[in-house]
Amino acid sequence: MSPSPISIPPSSPIADDTTDDNVLQPFFVLHKALPQKCQRKAAGSTRTRRKIDLPHSSPKSPEKSDAVASSVGPNDANHERLRLEAFNMTWSKIDTTIKEVLTRIHRNLFAEVHQWALESFLALKSGKPRHALEIQSPYPLLDNVICRQIPTAMILTKNAEFVDDMLTFQELGEHLKYKGCHIANLLSMDFCAKDGIAGCLRSLLRQLVVDAPDTADMSVLSSWYCEPENYDHPVIIVIDDMERCSGAILADFIRLLSEWVNKLPVIFIMGVATTDTAKKLLPSDALQHLQASKFTLGSPLERMNALVEAVLVKPSFGFNIGHNVAVFMRNYFLGHDGTVISFVRALKLACVKHFSMEPLSFLGIDVCDENEVFLHGKCDALPDTLLKYAFNLPSCKRGKDCKNSRDDLGEGLSDLRKLLKAWSSVILCLCEVGKNNKIQLLDIFCEATDPALSSLDPSNHKLERLFNGQNLAEGRLDFKGGLIGQLVHTVRELPLSSLIELLDLWSIHTEELYEVHGEVRELQSVVKSSNSGNNLKERQIDCHKMSMSLCAGRTSLSVNGKAAALLDNMVRKFLMPIECLCFHEIICFRNVDILQSALIGNPRRNIQVDLMKSTTYIKCSCCSSNENVLSPTMHDTSVMYNLAQEHGDLINLQDWYQSFKSTVLSTNKLKSPLQHSPMSKKVKSSPSESEASIQARFCRAVIELQIAGLIRMPSKRRPDFVQRVAFGL
Amino acid sequence: MFEQRLDSKEATIAGKDIGRVEMDLRVGEEVPMEEDDEFMLSRNYFLAKEAGSTSRKKSTQKLSDIDLIDEQVLRMAVSAIKPKHEKEIESLIKSYKDLYSKWLFELRCGFGLLMYGFGSKKILLEDFASTALTDYGVVVINGYLPSVNIKQVVITLAEVLSDQLKDKRKNSTGSKSRTQQPFRSQSIEDLLSFLNLQLPDDNDCFICVVIHDIDGPSLRDSESQQYLARIASCSLVRMVASVDHVNAPLLWDKKMVHTQFNWCWYHVPTFAPYKVEGSFFPLVLANCRNAQTTKTALVVLQSLTPNAQSVFKILAEYQLANEKEGMPINALYTKCRERFIVSNQVTLNSHLTEFKDHDLSLKEFLVASFQIFSCCC
């Protein structure tokens, strides 16, 4: 991983400040922000995207030999700013898209809930006092003795992990707010036994009443509701994770609100995992105050497919992921916790890493812009060092014999855009076929990005070939046996009615892919003409069966065959994995190791590896490089941990001490921990100072292992043993 | 609590393996290396258990067999340990300077940084904060200390942020400064919503919280972690933290990890000694009874009434000022009366009896009809 070029103030000497008073302060202010920088930022922040000025190339800029990230020269601070701005723009676009997609998926549910809320509100209103004074007066609580019920929407979440649905509930709240309801989102934390009912009431008031006093008083809420702008709208309380709430507090809250419900039209929306949740959590007297209706959320896989389509397949963001990253993210999604939110987080981290590591990533936002003026403008303004860097990219080196001019870069990038568009059209066509087969888009995406599936030698690959499509047939993309092969096969067996629908969808997806679009239209007309000849009954007959019976189904069979051939052709011509394209590094993130290590820290393994192989980090000349040999000069804690490996789950302190002592005192003899024997008693008694220092070193190493959580201190029951906690990496 | 979780991690590993394998069969991809690791982990656990049961029979060595030196000498020796590989460690820490720019970039993109790896990361984090984060206010929390008051931290954060925003307002035109309640009298919810303000024009204005040992003893409880997570999720706060415990991730649930802390992990072993962090741990070769007493004395002291605590405080202060002699009971009584801690000798005596009963290492001397108390805690 090469360090990226960034502006860091001149390095300060790393001082050992343990004598500082601050070390014993629970917290302290290290420093405050420098005022002048704020000013600069305030001025800079008003700039809009199109005003981003590229620092012009300076012929005098020093060039370093290794033209990777470190080669950008003196203007790197500006480029870093550009990359940061580009990231912010790109991510805000992706984020908005994700939100839109998720809202679209839940649109029906939201509308249903809204309709239900309105109906419930009307029902509540029918028994409601009409005068504001009546609402505000605390007594009588009820005008009739019949138990009042609070309308409650129990929304069943299909997720094992609740974290994914938080966003959904937040959006549901926003949707209902937009429709004119008063919304309060209460968290499970608000219903904790420690704060009692006051905690959730305070939170409710805080969200509804502006400048709410810090007292939990229902009368504040009732007088707020009587204000003309608040009156006559339902008050909806969203509790996203009911199961985590304290049952007793929630029950109190429900009882309290049920007393007010004829004055304050309160409606609950609660997220539950099963229908039994409420029964388990609440006592029956609280339960009877709830008038429950059930709603169900969509599954995470459904959301995932929609997300992949909108974010990864459509190339409109200037950021994409390579095959390894895609496979990692898919496994992370399926194997980690199956939450969309973790996938989105992984994607964001990949995006940050890309923009932080790739010097030219700021060009990405313009790569996907139809208007090429900005792209060419930016390419023209690139300094020589960056230009050289661009043409030294591996994808460019292997494919091009161009003159390395700025125009070539601009051309190359606009070609990349065109190719990506074609690629995404084909994926969408495949996805439509996959829907019939219940094949997930994420799987298709992973396969389609795999450069290994293409048997084309990337070193011989030239951009021009792709569009001509002449040599590609020779390359024979081998998708047999894979998902894509299956999909092509599926098309052959589709019933005619599905085929017609499929072709309609294809014609939408290939609108901008003129070559294919013509063929699709042609095929559509053939299908329709053959279809019009058949009667309604025949239309529903599976063409596969027709081929089996060898009767009058030849036309439709050939239509299926043609459609399959068309798909096959599209795949061969245009489904070129992004990693085979020129300049793809600028928009494609491929470094799966970096993503994985940043996303999933593995302290349990890595801290142990640090200790077992300390010499790989402390590169000194004195310690042996052989892993199995402990040398007395090695880091004490490392020696101790290596020695601890010989013991079982309990380590006898005396044994451990003696073996440590013998290791650190052995001057020249290097000893293997595996051949340890209790010869330690033979060690000659050394001077008392040395004994003290060895004991001190032993104690400190034990403390350090304790801090790392690798051992536990002796207990009263076993005062002579420490306990090992971690076993193996 | 932490140790219990740690045990449960070990216990559930075998079950987890099965779940993972099934998941991977479904995925149909190559099984990641982790699976092997986890299998090895459970295998090693049982092997170690086995080895433990045999070695326990073998090894009956007592700690007292070691020629233990005096605790004071040992403490001196600990503070005088000659550091090994000083230069190498320094250059290792310096090598991370190259990453500062990346770290800053990620902070500016809204991620939090979590550093792990063996060795104290105190110097590294503070060096990063004082070189790369000069444009932002930085508050450091020492999580390795036994107690940290989160509310005070939030107040300080709000003050630092407020100063930063004021500076910004001075420089930009057209915005008015709002008069508001002093932060000290605001509730933690108000303070958090202040830290979560949405600034329309600038997304590069934030303050940084550097937390040494976010898994430290004072921050290990779930309430502190919940508050820290809420601080981390505020739009105007970025968090840089370090963890040292191998099971630190068990502190957080999915919500905290995915939506609040938003960590970007970095493995940065420094091998620097845990000087300050380790100063609160007992020495294993020091008299173990002593360590226990200090711990139990603390528990006893905490459970005493405030007045009894104050009596002990007076006694302890006197003892610190006069190391060799004890405090005459009359002097103690007078001092306690002056401070309205006790009103009569009987009450004082009952407090003193309680100290003695609970083994607060109180020595009693009767010298020439003067009762003198000396505190050896």
Side-chain angles (χ1 to χ4, degrees), chain B residues 320-340:
Chain B
L320 287 174
N322 312 281
E323 273 185 19
K324 287 184 181 162
E325 54 186 279
M327 188 174 191
I329 186 138
N330 285 351
L332 180 64
Y333 178 60
T334 323
K335 221 162 197 175
C336 291
R337 257 188 83 90
E338 276 170 12
R339 299 194 190 173
F340 299 101

Side-chain angles (χ1 to χ4, degrees), chain A residues 106-127:
Chain A
H106 296 128
R107 193 178 288 154
N108 289 340
L109 176 80
F110 287 3
E112 232 174 284
V113 173
H114 180 231
Q115 184 59 32
W116 166 86
L118 284 184
E119 283 164 14
S120 309
F121 177 58
L122 286 176
L124 282 178
K125 240 171 59 171
S126 59

Side-chain angles (χ1 to χ4, degrees), chain A residues 189-203:
Chain A
M189 268 172 67
D190 296 323
F191 294 93
C192 64
K194 193 182 144 203
D195 294 338
I197 192 167
C200 48
L201 268 183
R202 261 200 294 270
S203 178

Side-chain angles (χ1 to χ4, degrees), chain A residues 32 604 634 636 655 727, chain B residues 7 10 41 59 84 163 247:
Chain A
K32 293 190 174 180
R604 199 179 173 79
M634 268 168 75
D636 286 344
D655 285 352
F727 301 95
Chain B
D7 286 340
E10 296 292 355
L41 187 63
S59 186
K84 278 179 179 178
D163 287 351
N247 286 339

Side-chain angles (χ1 to χ4, degrees), chain A residues 34 41 47 60 68 132 137 221 261 287 335 394 412 459 461 532 563 571 579 592 598 625 643 694:
Chain A
L34 291 178
K41 280 209 183 94
R47 293 180 172 200
K60 285 176 189 171
V68 202
S137 69
L221 196 64
V261 73
L287 210 56
S459 59
H461 167 61
S532 59
V571 167
E579 285 168 75
V592 69
S625 57
L643 290 171
I694 292 171

Side-chain angles (χ1 to χ4, degrees), chain A residues 16-276:
Chain A
D16 183 355
D17 58 354
T18 43
T19 52
D20 201 331
D21 286 345
N22 285 334
V23 296
L24 293 176
Q25 296 292 328
F27 64 92
F28 60 94
V29 179
L30 186 72
H31 61 74
K32 293 190 174 180
L34 291 178
Q36 64 270 25
K37 178 78 186 211
C38 284
Q39 187 178 13
R40 188 166 65 74
K41 280 209 183 94
S45 62
T46 52
R47 293 180 172 200
T48 57
R49 173 187 169 185
R50 293 305 175 199
K51 285 179 187 168
I52 294 171
D53 300 321
L54 263 171
H56 278 275
S57 53
S58 59
K60 285 176 189 171
S61 61
E63 285 181 18
K64 290 178 187 173
S65 55
D66 52 340
V68 202
S70 58
S71 65
V72 187
N75 288 326
D76 46 0
N78 286 322
H79 285 110
E80 195 205 31
R81 185 175 55 79
L82 284 179
R83 282 186 282 123
L84 187 65
E85 284 175 10
F87 165 77
N88 284 332
M89 265 183 265
T90 308
W91 186 254
S92 74
K93 271 205 263 176
I94 294 177
D95 198 37
T96 321
T97 312
I98 290 171
K99 281 192 180 143
E100 277 170 11
V101 168
L102 294 179
T103 316
R104 200 173 60 222
I105 287 179
H106 296 128
R107 193 178 288 154
N108 289 340
L109 176 80
F110 287 3
E112 232 174 284
V113 173
H114 180 231
Q115 184 59 32
W116 166 86
L118 284 184
E119 283 164 14
S120 309
F121 177 58
L122 286 176
L124 282 178
K125 240 171 59 171
S126 59
K128 206 177 128 198
R130 291 178 185 166
H131 304 293
L133 263 177
E134 242 180 287
I135 294 176
Q136 286 182 41
S137 69
Y139 295 100
L141 290 170
L142 299 174
D143 51 359
N144 55 19
V145 282
I146 304 163
C147 163
R148 296 302 307 234
Q149 287 190 313
I150 307 173
T152 307
M154 296 285 181
I155 299 193
L156 294 170
T157 55
K158 277 190 180 171
N159 243 340
E161 283 298 337
F162 174 73
V163 65
D164 233 10
D165 301 314
M166 281 171 11
L167 192 66
T168 315
F169 280 96
Q170 218 175 316
E171 279 168 3
L172 176 62
E174 278 166 23
H175 176 81
L176 293 173
K177 198 171 194 174
Y178 173 72
K179 296 281 182 187
C181 307
H182 300 296
I183 294 289
N185 278 300
L186 296 189
L187 305 172
S188 48
M189 268 172 67
D190 296 323
F191 294 93
C192 64
K194 193 182 144 203
D195 294 338
I197 192 167
C200 48
L201 268 183
R202 261 200 294 270
S203 178
L204 179 68
L205 288 175
R206 172 186 294 279
Q207 291 185 49
L208 292 175
V209 186
V210 185
D211 295 330
D214 206 30
T215 50
D217 189 356
M218 278 301 284
S219 60
V220 177
L221 196 64
S222 61
S223 53
W224 162 83
Y225 188 69
C226 290
E227 285 166 21
E229 68 270 22
N230 302 328
Y231 192 72
D232 217 20
H233 294 282
V235 178
I236 297 181
I237 299 174
V238 183
I239 302 172
D240 53 10
D241 189 3
M242 186 191 185
E243 272 162 320
R244 279 190 169 191
C245 300
S246 150
I249 307 298
L250 183 61
D252 282 348
F253 187 63
I254 291 169
R255 277 185 219 115
L256 176 74
L257 287 182
S258 70
E259 288 168 3
W260 285 83
V261 73
N262 58 339
K263 299 176 179 179
L264 266 171
V266 178
I267 295 173
F268 276 128
I269 294 180
M270 295 184 182
V272 288
T274 62
T275 40
D276 291 341

